[in-house]
Amino acid sequence: MSNNLHDKVEQRFQSVVERLSAKGRRITPQRLAILRMLISSKDHPSAEQIHLGILKEFPTTSLATVYKTITMLKEEGEVIELEFSEASNRYDGMKPEPHPHVVCSKCGVIVDPETVNLQEFMHRIASETGFVLHGHRLDFFGLCPKCRE
Amino acid sequence: MSNNLHDKVEQRFQSVVERLSAKGRRITPQRLAILRMLISSKDHPSAEQIHLGILKEFPTTSLATVYKTITMLKEEGEVIELEFSEASNRYDGMKPEPHPHVVCSKCGVIVDPETVNLQEFMHRIASETGFVLHGHRLDFFGLCPKCRE
DNA sequence: TTTCGTGCAAAAGCTTTGCATTAGC
DNA sequence: GCTAATGCAAAGCTTTTGCACGAAA
């Protein structure tokens, strides 16, 4: 059912709020709204997109608060950041562990392909370079079906 | 021999200069110096590091020229850019096609592991998402041997 | 009541741009 | 001689910070 996704979102939302609360983070309306957007958006929004979305509900929310909240959520491991230097960074609060992304070079849409197993690579590269690895970023760039006309 | 690497650098340097020239790009002392740094650095320098390196030889070179030259070299496909939003972007002129990088989260050193084959992933993901893929970025993050104390 | 979060404005940092000057070709 | 590249300063953008005010616990 289509309720499946909604239930999943709601479940994650509740559990994140509990963890934040347990760690002494204050629960504010702005934080709840930002968190909800981050968890329910499957399109990897930017800080500004989140801000615009929040303004409908809380018209006085500042962009600074959005950034501060995202920073806090990154610290808590509830959100991951996809860095872009030419464009705004994008955020994933649905699946906050490193995973592959497919990015359209034209419209900027970001989708999650089915998980690709990188464990083998991680191990091989760790032993080869002497690094202790604790994360990765794998992005594929191309044109999405819509942008191919 | 240690001349092996030097020869390779020199060979690539010459061939890039030829291609630029053939495409009507003007060959200036600044461009040659920037290109040489980009090709001979195996440590993936930032624009500012390149600028500092160039200043010894050409003390009046501006940072703007460095950026403009890098942009031109990206257009020509002779350099790839590794984007970081928190820090400066880093550049690879030695191997200007997408490939994995291993990034130290502490000191920022970037090394190239032996090539990992991603073709299988690319094909699987292309057919799964409907994207036409033309590049990728794969970064592993961790601590380099030195930064582990 | 105490402390943390919010919101405004200003700052910071990297990169780009406008424009006059210089130099390739 | 034409045109593109350089170099300086200023602008542009995203993100961060300082600080006074307000709200959570």
Side-chain angles (χ1 to χ4, degrees), chain A residues 48-71:
Chain A
E48 187 159 9
Q49 286 172 327
I50 293 169
H51 185 221
L52 288 174
I54 301 311
L55 285 180
K56 296 170 194 159
E57 213 182 338
F58 300 97
T60 63
T61 309
S62 74
L63 188 53
T65 293
V66 174
Y67 275 111
K68 283 169 185 167
T69 299
I70 289 171
T71 300

Side-chain angles (χ1 to χ4, degrees), chain B:
Chain B
M1 310 314 290
S2 67
N3 259 10
N4 223 345
L5 177 64
H6 181 269
D7 287 355
K8 250 186 161 176
V9 166
E10 202 54 36
Q11 197 177 329
R12 171 154 169 74
F13 180 77
Q14 297 299 343
S15 70
V16 174
V17 173
E18 272 172 35
R19 279 193 291 277
L20 295 179
S21 192
K23 283 180 180 167
R25 303 289 192 173
R26 293 191 180 166
I27 307 305
T28 68
Q30 294 93 330
R31 286 184 167 183
L32 290 177
I34 293 166
L35 181 62
R36 189 172 283 286
M37 265 209 80
L38 274 167
I39 291 179
S40 60
S41 306
K42 69 179 203 322
D43 55 344
H44 306 76
S46 65
E48 187 158 8
Q49 286 172 329
I50 293 169
H51 185 221
L52 289 174
I54 301 310
L55 285 179
K56 295 169 195 160
E57 214 181 337
F58 300 97
T60 64
T61 309
S62 74
L63 188 53
T65 293
V66 174
Y67 276 111
K68 284 169 185 167
T69 299
I70 290 172
T71 300
M72 181 273 287
L73 290 171
K74 282 194 291 177
E75 283 169 17
E76 299 294 354
E78 303 293 358
V79 158
I80 57 168
E81 184 177 61
L82 307 179
E83 292 186 61
F84 295 96
S85 66
E86 314 168 7
S88 304
N89 292 341
R90 306 279 288 271
Y91 300 92
D92 193 333
M94 216 176 193
K95 205 200 296 184
E97 58 273 344
H99 60 275
H101 292 94
V102 187
V103 183
C104 180
S105 309
K106 195 172 173 190
C107 71
V109 70
I110 300 179
V111 307
D112 286 9
E114 270 178 37
T115 308
V116 169
N117 187 11
L118 289 169
Q119 292 309 315
E120 191 201 324
F121 287 168
M122 299 269 293
H123 284 122
R124 202 193 311 170
I125 285 169
S127 66
E128 184 192 324
T129 62
F131 273 63
V132 172
L133 299 180
H134 49 244
H136 70 263
R137 173 179 180 169
L138 174 52
D139 290 330
F140 294 96
F141 298 100
L143 290 176
C144 69
K146 282 183 187 171
C147 287
R148 290 160 55 193
E149 256 98 324

